[in-house]
Each structure stands twice: as structure tokens, then as C-alpha cells.
Amino acid sequence: GEAVAVVREVPAGDGQQRAVARDVCACGVRAGEPESTLTGEESVMVRLTADVFAHAVPRMNCCQERELDLRGLKIPAIENVGVTQDQFDVLDFTDNEIKRVDNFPTFKRLSTLLLSNNHVTRLSPTLSEQLPNLDCLILTNNKITNLSEVDNLIGCTKLTMLSFVNNPIIRRQHYRLYVIAKLPQLKALDFVKVKAIEREEAAKLFRSAAGRLMQQDVEAESKTFTPGEDIPSTTNPMANLTAEQKDQVRAVIAAASTPEEVDRIERQLKAGVIPTLKKAAAPAGGAAEGTDAMDTSPTAPAPTTAEAKDAAEKAAAHAVLFGSGGVGGPPPTQR
């Protein structure tokens, strides 16, 4: 909380102080803490929650566009972007830990994504549906390897500026011609203007046998799994639930009073556990209050008839040998 306060107290005109305050907020340290304490062990990933968006720094950039600064927060994945309500032209995710560009709601205003210095390896095939007016996509210093990821941008018909600088993909043969052929509307690729002669060469290449063979190789690699890469979850945790179970989950969510409880419910659903509601136990000597509480712990199974009968026989045998309350102590069932 103190680190966030630093960001809000810094005057908007002092760029150096704003950068220092942003770095302090990103590292999660307290105001006034010595610089020597900013070790790598203290830097942890931050989930992109509504609270993070609330404390992010909005501004007008030099192009007179509304921009939201989410730099250097160690964000591992894009999520909960809907809380911004499509009020920004630019989202700056520079210097994070993002691996996939996906999970956006349908935003018609958002036109620029800044994702330099992340770990991006995949682009969503539905990005054009999520961001129909995407004009600029900066992916400098990432880990995109496959040319098949370029195919996922074909639907972005308004994309005019794209950067794959310092990605493994730029070392692929005919990389630049492939991107120009697939995205003919581009005006600049890797911060270099696309020339008319390059468009002609790209069209000529993909009319040839070499171009067709290259296309087959790209289609094959799109079906290849890269070891160590996260597998995206495409399964809805509630997809296989009955209508009664779905109503039960909705009731538990409605009863949740804190974000932590909602996160716990989400984890349970992903683990295949259906959360339930239970009545809170009445205090000793008082009336039951009838309040609902979430049952998030497993319930102990009731003893079977055979177990109850066996316990009764042991208690009777103990009473015969030692008498009730004798030197033998309490029955085995109470010991």
C-alpha cells in the first residue's frame, strides 16, 4: 500500500521521479527502503487483478492516446482486462513475464499493445476477434520461434506496425517476405518501412514451388508442441456440471464476501471439487444463528453399522472386566 502511495504522490511532470516510483511499486518494497534491499528473491510474480489495474498509472502519450502503464510488474499472464472497460487506446505490458498474447475481451478502442521484454511464445488465433482495431503490436525481445504464429495475425486487417526484433523467428529463412506476404497491410515491420519491391518479391516467392513447400513446413510446425511450453487450458471447469451443480456453484460465489474466497472457489473447480454451502454451527448454550458458510474442507465419513457394533461390544467387554469407572480407566472408545 505504501509503494502505491508513492506513485500517486509523484507529480505527473517529473518523468525521472515517476520512473523511480514505478520501479519501487514493481518491486513491492516500502517507501524509503534502501536500494540495496531490492534483491531478486523479493521480486515475485503479480497476478493481474482488478486491484493492479486500479493502481496502474494512466496517462496521455505523445500521440494523444490514453495509455495504461503496466510495466515491470512481473505479470505472468494476461487476465481480467475487462475491468478497464475499453477506456484505453494503448496497454503497456513491457518488462513482464507474459508467455501468451490472449485472453482479451472484445475491445474496439484498444489499438496498440506494447509487449517488449516478455517471454511470449504464442499469439492467440482469435486475437483479431478480441481486438478488431489492433493497429500496432510490439513484441521486441520475446521468444517467438514459429512462423505459424504470424498466421494467427492474418485476421488483424488493420495491423500496420509489427515488431519481432530479437525473436528467434527473425533467423528463419525468408522471414521478412513471409510476414509481408501474410500481412499485406503492414506499413512497417521491425521498425523498417515495407517497400513496394518487397511486396513484389513476397508475392513472387509464394507463387513458386519453394514458397508452397515453405507453407507446408509452416503448417506442420503449427501442430508441433514445444517442450517446456505451457499448454493453454481450453476446458471450461463448469462445462460438465449438471444444472443443479451449476446453481450450487453460483450460490457459493454469491455468498463469497472477499476476493480470496472467489479465488479459492476457482481453484476448487479447476481441481474438480464442487464447493458447497453449510450452516454455521450454533454456539454452546445459545440459539443457532442460521448463517451460511462455505464448506471448503472434506467431510469425515459416518461410521458404518459394523463399526458401531464392534465399538459397542468392546465397551461391554471393558465394563465386565473392570467395572464402570473402575481402575481400568475409560472404555477404549473414549481413550
Side-chain angles (χ1 to χ4, degrees):
E2 295 176 8
V4 171
V6 173
V7 176
R8 290 186 168 181
E9 291 172 3
V10 173
D14 193 335
Q16 184 177 1
Q17 290 184 1
R18 283 170 60 83
V20 172
R22 185 175 60 231
D23 292 341
V24 170
C25 182
C27 294
V29 299
R30 296 179 176 84
E33 189 168 355
E35 184 179 357
S36 60
T37 63
L38 302 180
T39 62
E41 296 179 355
E42 296 177 357
S43 181
V44 296
M45 290 188 180
V46 177
R47 184 176 177 183
L48 191 55
T49 62
D51 188 57
V52 173
F53 280 109
H55 292 102
V57 181
R59 62 189 177 207
M60 294 293 292
N61 63 19
C62 58
C63 298
Q64 296 302 306
E65 297 172 325
R66 277 183 57 82
E67 179 177 332
L68 188 64
D69 187 353
L70 295 163
R71 286 173 169 254
L73 299 179
K74 300 285 183 181
I75 297 169
I78 298 173
E79 57 184 337
N80 299 317
V81 186
V83 300
T84 63
Q85 300 180 354
D86 200 12
Q87 296 180 356
F88 297 92
D89 304 291
V90 182
L91 291 181
D92 189 351
F93 289 106
T94 303
D95 298 325
N96 284 291
E97 307 288 338
I98 296 170
K99 297 180 180 178
R100 292 178 57 88
V101 181
D102 64 357
N103 204 24
F104 288 95
T106 301
F107 275 179
K108 295 183 178 180
R109 177 173 179 176
L110 185 61
S111 61
T112 301
L113 284 178
L114 306 179
L115 287 150
S116 298
N117 303 328
N118 279 272
H119 302 300
V120 175
T121 59
R122 294 289 187 184
L123 304 177
S124 172
T126 60
L127 193 62
S128 60
E129 301 173 8
Q130 300 166 4
L131 306 176
N133 294 315
L134 184 63
D135 174 72
C136 178
L137 179 59
I138 305 300
L139 292 161
T140 302
N141 291 331
N142 278 282
K143 299 181 179 180
I144 296 177
T145 303
N146 298 332
L147 287 171
S148 58
E149 298 305 318
V150 178
D151 293 353
N152 294 333
L153 298 175
I154 292 177
C156 299
T157 56
K158 296 186 178 181
L159 185 64
T160 61
M161 185 170 183
L162 177 63
S163 172
F164 286 124
V165 173
N166 289 342
N167 280 258
I169 192 176
I170 67 173
R171 295 191 290 270
R172 298 290 297 272
Q173 186 179 19
H174 303 307
Y175 147 75
R176 187 171 176 88
L177 295 181
Y178 184 88
V179 177
I180 293 173
K182 290 295 182 178
L183 306 174
Q185 76 279 7
L186 281 183
K187 296 181 180 179
L189 175 60
D190 298 338
F191 305 105
V192 177
K193 182 180 178 180
V194 177
K195 300 177 182 179
I197 189 172
E198 290 180 310
R199 300 186 190 277
E200 295 173 2
E201 291 176 358
K204 182 179 179 180
L205 172 64
F206 286 94
R207 285 196 300 265
S208 66
R212 289 191 293 271
L213 182 60
M214 183 179 182
Q215 182 62 51
Q216 292 175 3
D217 292 341
V218 171
E219 292 174 357
E221 74 181 10
S222 67
K223 302 176 183 178
T224 303
F225 171 71
T226 303
E229 180 185 278
D230 291 340
I231 301 176
S233 176
T234 57
T235 304
N236 184 350
M238 296 184 65
N240 298 323
L241 300 184
T242 64
E244 182 179 353
Q245 290 172 330
K246 290 180 181 179
D247 292 339
Q248 178 179 330
V249 172
R250 294 188 184 101
V252 174
I253 294 175
S257 57
T258 64
E260 289 76 12
E261 291 180 359
V262 176
D263 289 341
R264 184 165 61 249
I265 295 170
E266 181 181 355
R267 290 194 298 270
Q268 287 179 321
L269 288 173
K270 289 182 178 180
V273 179
I274 301 175
T276 58
L277 286 172
K278 67 178 181 179
K279 293 289 184 178
E289 297 181 1
T291 57
D292 288 337
M294 281 192 296
D295 184 9
T296 59
S297 59
T299 304
T304 61
T305 305
E307 292 174 346
K309 183 177 179 181
D310 184 59
E313 291 176 353
K314 288 181 179 179
H318 187 276
V320 171
L321 293 173
F322 301 103
S324 59
V327 295
T333 56
Q334 299 178 8
R335 198 171 280 174

